[in-house]
Amino acid sequence: MEKDVFIRLDNINKTFPGVKALDGIHLEIKKGEVHALVGENGAGKSTLIKILAGNYQPDEGGQIVIEGENCTGLNPMEAIRKGIIVIYQDFSLFPNLTVAENISISNQLEKKGKLVSWKEIKSAAEKALKSLEVDIDVEVRLSSISMAKQQLVAIARALACEAKLIIMDEPTSTLSKSEVELLFKIIRNLSRKGIAVLFVSHKLEELFEVASIFTVIRDGRYIGTYPAEEMDNDKLINLMVGRKVEFVHQGAEKIGKVLLEVKNLSKKGNFQDISFELHEGEILGITGLVGAGRTEVAQSICGILPPDEGEIVIDGKRANIRSMEDAVRYGIGYVPESRLTEGLVLSKSVEDNAVMTVFHRLKGSSGLVNSKKKEKLALEWIKKLNIKPGYPHMLVSKLSGGNQQRVVIAKWLATDPKILIIDEPTNGIDVGAKSEIHSLLRKLAAGGMGIIMISSELTEVLAISDHILVMRRGRINGRLDGSLAKQEAIMNAAILNKSDMKQAAEQGGLL
């Protein structure tokens, strides 16, 4: 019924110079509804969110109706007054302020310079957190609490603004399994209170767990809205990408000599006694629960977090790696977990990002970078990795997540590495782009490169790993053959201690 609808968008179009980002989008969200917005990277989800938040204005002819009122010229403050709050991937919080100040900041801005009541700020923050049934000290600095708690602070801020619709953009990208379960519990409680949630995620299993209805967009166009009970994984993927995408195991045709040996590597407080080998043509998957020490091992191999003990041997010779520069000299490339904060310079172009690791090769006799060489090299990598759109001078921040990831990979492939370490290669990337990244990694391995892939997604680990290491509390707790491994065996190795591993070994490929 119309009275149950919080917001309705009809015929929403948005055109940028040379690009039609949205074409005839329809979206209707009811009060208390958990609504999934799905589509590939570049489908237009972010543009649509910015229209809902008042950051972008739709083209003429579109209609936005909020609680029966026709709203034109919606701006960010007006959207907040209407009860629309967006929680972006980075939460848009202030790490140098306290929890209470972060929760109350929007309300303070609304007061336009009136005297600040610290007692009121603290009370409002405590009230918002209490409504979420979570216990966080409101007087501590935000930077001192975990990412999961920071997300709860962002939700509490939305409640302090009397939110009626909370838009969550990739809300689980940095959360552990238990933290995801807590978030879903909170979302269900918000729904029961009549607060609608628009949930945007590329993790399809999570969408099915929390959402009651799906709206699918593809290439900026509205595909349809479907109740959850009419959907399954295959149907949703087909609607999103317009083709069938399958994740079947892709193993190496040939594994060559040992490229890398890690012997008894330890770093106090991070990991202990790590040993493994990496061969030419091999993809070695490393998985485990968040906090198991996977990323720290990768950073030690690269010299970012030098180990306290142990050896790193490359091509049969002991390597002394104390920095990323040393790692590059030994033929190691490292694609970090967060492309936005560690992998890219968002204020720079695709060209600048793609070649920044090899600027020294592009200098002319004057000592300055040769702009023609630089553009030529960038265009080569744009073509090789199929980066879209293929404009070298475009800001990298304007690309979709999948294409940004390709730029980070290009940056390290430009160094001509023998070994590529890639951490969470498809985090925040849609299912179609994910399949393409997998194929790229497999192609690189087929060319003789050794690849270490760190991933929390078991389907990804199982799809392309030749061998799998499972970490638990800083140690390797399981070694599996990628072609035989099963999810149950991986999870057992991630959770169980050594004395309970016998049963796990019987459940699928444990070596």
Side-chain angles (χ1 to χ4, degrees), residues 186-296:
I186 287 170
I187 288 173
R188 292 183 186 106
N189 286 339
L190 293 172
S191 177
R192 281 192 284 272
K193 293 175 183 177
I195 297 171
V197 174
L198 183 63
F199 195 93
V200 183
S201 176
H202 292 112
K203 298 181 180 179
L204 304 189
E205 68 279 5
E206 293 179 356
L207 296 176
F208 283 108
E209 188 171 342
V210 75
S212 61
I213 193 163
F214 293 74
T215 288
V216 183
I217 60 177
R218 185 170 73 233
D219 297 329
R221 295 184 177 91
Y222 175 72
I223 300 301
T225 299
Y226 311 87
E229 57 267 23
E230 293 180 8
M231 283 294 232
D232 59 32
N233 209 57
D234 289 342
K235 181 177 178 180
L236 182 57
I237 290 171
N238 192 272
L239 289 167
M240 285 170 59
V241 304
R243 65 188 189 278
K244 189 173 183 179
V245 178
E246 291 184 302
F247 291 99
V248 295
H249 183 260
Q250 303 175 55
E253 292 183 8
K254 180 182 176 182
I255 290 180
K257 68 176 184 178
V258 174
L259 285 176
L260 169 72
E261 294 176 81
V262 173
K263 299 181 178 181
N264 308 115
L265 215 63
S266 296
K267 179 71 176 178
K268 189 175 180 181
N270 292 281
F271 56 86
Q272 189 172 352
D273 197 26
I274 302 297
S275 297
F276 62 84
E277 293 181 349
L278 176 70
H279 298 75
E280 283 183 348
E282 177 186 17
I283 297 180
L284 176 67
I286 302 181
T287 190
L289 302 180
V290 173
R294 305 163 305 171
T295 295
E296 289 78 6

Side-chain angles (χ1 to χ4, degrees), residues 459-477:
T459 52
E460 176 164 80
V461 172
L462 291 167
I464 60 170
S465 300
D466 298 300
H467 295 95
I468 301 167
L469 303 179
V470 186
M471 291 191 65
R472 178 181 182 270
R473 297 184 178 179
R475 291 178 178 269
I476 294 175
N477 203 43

